[in-house]
């Protein structure tokens, strides 16, 4: 839809077609269109006026951490987890040989909190603690950019909307088992193993938050 907005069909201030018409144009559901419109408003392209419609606000849009923190949608969920999947394995690999006893203690504490959340079947807390673990790993790196990124992802994770209704026994076992193995690989200075396990952890986390139909 961004291509439509950035093209010559609409000028700044123009009102977009209604949800029904847009759904027909893009051959999708009105719910999907509604989610897309909300995301485009968050990104600064549109202004949604109650009982009036959607109006083109900017052809370039804008993306800022402030805007991303407010996003609540399946698209936002996918993007947040995808971001973690991109760099978490490399972060684990890079830090496996550089962790101090203090760093390891911090990761162990984060792992214990994750385990508690899993045992309590608290899915939102599981998500927050998972990201808290990688935030602790980023802080151990001393890389200000990684730390800031993880802090922002941590804030955004407060808005994660989980598609699942709970955790199965298999999910519980596999999620925490992989995570404990990851922690041990980091603790024992095994970078290659840490990378592989971080990838597996992220895949399991993705399935937990956004299970396939």
């Amino acid at each position: 839809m961004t291509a439509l907005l950035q093209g010559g069909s609409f000028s700044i201030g123009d009102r977009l077609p209604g949800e029904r018409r847009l759904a027909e144009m893009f051959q999708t559901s009105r719910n999907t269109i509604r989610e897309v419109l909300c995301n485009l408003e968050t990104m600064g392209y549109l202004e949604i006026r109650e009982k009036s419609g959607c109006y083109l606000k900017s052809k370039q849009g804008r993306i800022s951490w402030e805007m991303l923190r407010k996003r609540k949608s399946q698209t936002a969920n996918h993007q947040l987890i995808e971001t973690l999947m991109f760099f978490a394995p490399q972060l684990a690999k890079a830090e496996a040989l550089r962790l101090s006893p203090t760093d390891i203690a911090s990761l162990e504490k984060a792992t214990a909190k994750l385990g508690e959340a899993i045992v309590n079947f608290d899915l939102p807390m599981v998500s927050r603690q998972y990201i808290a673990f990688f935030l602790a790993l980023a802080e151990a790196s001393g890389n200000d950019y990684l730390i800031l990124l993880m802090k922002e992802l941590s804030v955004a994770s407060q808005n994660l909307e989980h598609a699942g209704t709970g955790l199965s026994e298999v999910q519980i076992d596999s999620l925490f088992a992989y995570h404990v193995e990851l922690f041990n690989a980091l603790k024992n200075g095994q970078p290659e193993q840490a990378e592989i396990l971080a990838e597996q952890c992220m895949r399991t986390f993705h399935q937990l938050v956004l299970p396939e139909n």
Side-chain angles (χ1 to χ4, degrees), residues 65-112:
W65 284 117
E66 181 179 0
M67 301 295 282
L68 290 178
R69 291 185 202 119
K70 300 176 182 178
R71 294 178 69 187
K72 292 184 179 182
S73 67
Q74 289 294 88
T75 298
N77 292 352
H78 277 289
Q79 291 183 355
L80 190 156
I81 296 172
E82 184 179 50
T83 301
L84 283 169
M85 294 178 76
F86 273 133
F87 81 88
Q90 288 300 315
L91 176 62
K93 180 180 180 180
E95 294 307 307
L97 294 176
R98 301 190 296 199
L99 296 173
S100 68
T102 301
D103 297 329
I104 292 171
S106 179
L107 294 174
E108 186 172 23
K109 183 178 180 180
T111 297

Side-chain angles (χ1 to χ4, degrees), residues 136-181:
L137 195 57
E139 289 174 336
S141 75
N143 185 314
D144 292 335
Y145 292 95
L146 285 178
I147 294 170
L148 178 59
L149 174 59
M150 282 307 309
K151 284 183 175 180
E152 291 295 343
L153 291 179
S154 180
V155 173
S157 73
Q158 307 297 317
N159 292 328
L160 271 177
E161 297 177 347
H162 300 85
T165 57
L167 302 176
S168 70
E169 185 176 350
V170 173
Q171 285 176 314
I172 293 172
D173 291 343
S174 62
L175 181 68
F176 199 55
Y178 284 130
H179 187 81
V180 170
E181 287 185 37

Side-chain angles (χ1 to χ4, degrees), residues 81 111 113-131 133-134 162 166-183 197-210:
I81 296 172
T111 297
K113 289 183 177 180
L114 173 63
E116 181 179 350
I118 290 175
V119 169
N120 291 333
F121 285 33
D122 188 341
L123 191 53
M125 184 58 68
V126 168
S127 297
R128 289 194 287 271
Q129 292 304 328
Y130 232 91
I131 294 176
F133 178 87
F134 287 97
H162 300 85
L167 302 176
S168 70
E169 185 176 350
V170 173
Q171 285 176 314
I172 293 172
D173 291 343
S174 62
L175 181 68
F176 199 55
Y178 284 130
H179 187 81
V180 170
E181 287 185 37
L182 170 60
F183 169 73
L197 288 165
E199 290 176 355
Q200 186 60 60
C201 283
M202 286 297 106
R203 285 196 295 270
T204 306
F205 181 50
H206 181 276
Q207 293 168 3
L208 179 67
V209 177
L210 298 167

Side-chain angles (χ1 to χ4, degrees), residues 15-80:
R15 183 180 184 276
L16 270 63
E19 290 179 0
R20 186 185 301 277
R21 175 57 182 151
L22 289 172
E24 293 173 353
M25 291 171 60
F26 290 95
Q27 297 183 327
T28 188
S29 68
R30 290 183 66 181
N31 285 339
T32 297
I33 289 297
R34 190 173 298 117
E35 179 179 320
V36 170
L37 293 175
C38 288
N39 283 337
L40 289 172
E41 182 185 38
T42 298
M43 295 167 66
Y45 285 98
L46 303 176
E47 178 185 357
I48 299 177
R49 302 175 190 172
E50 188 175 359
K51 298 181 180 180
S52 177
C54 296
Y55 295 81
L56 182 60
K57 185 176 181 179
S58 168
K59 286 182 176 286
Q60 290 75 40
R62 70 175 187 276
I63 300 177
S64 67
W65 284 117
E66 181 179 0
M67 301 295 282
L68 290 178
R69 291 185 202 119
K70 300 176 182 178
R71 294 178 69 187
K72 292 184 179 182
S73 67
Q74 289 294 88
T75 298
N77 292 352
H78 277 289
Q79 291 183 355
L80 190 156

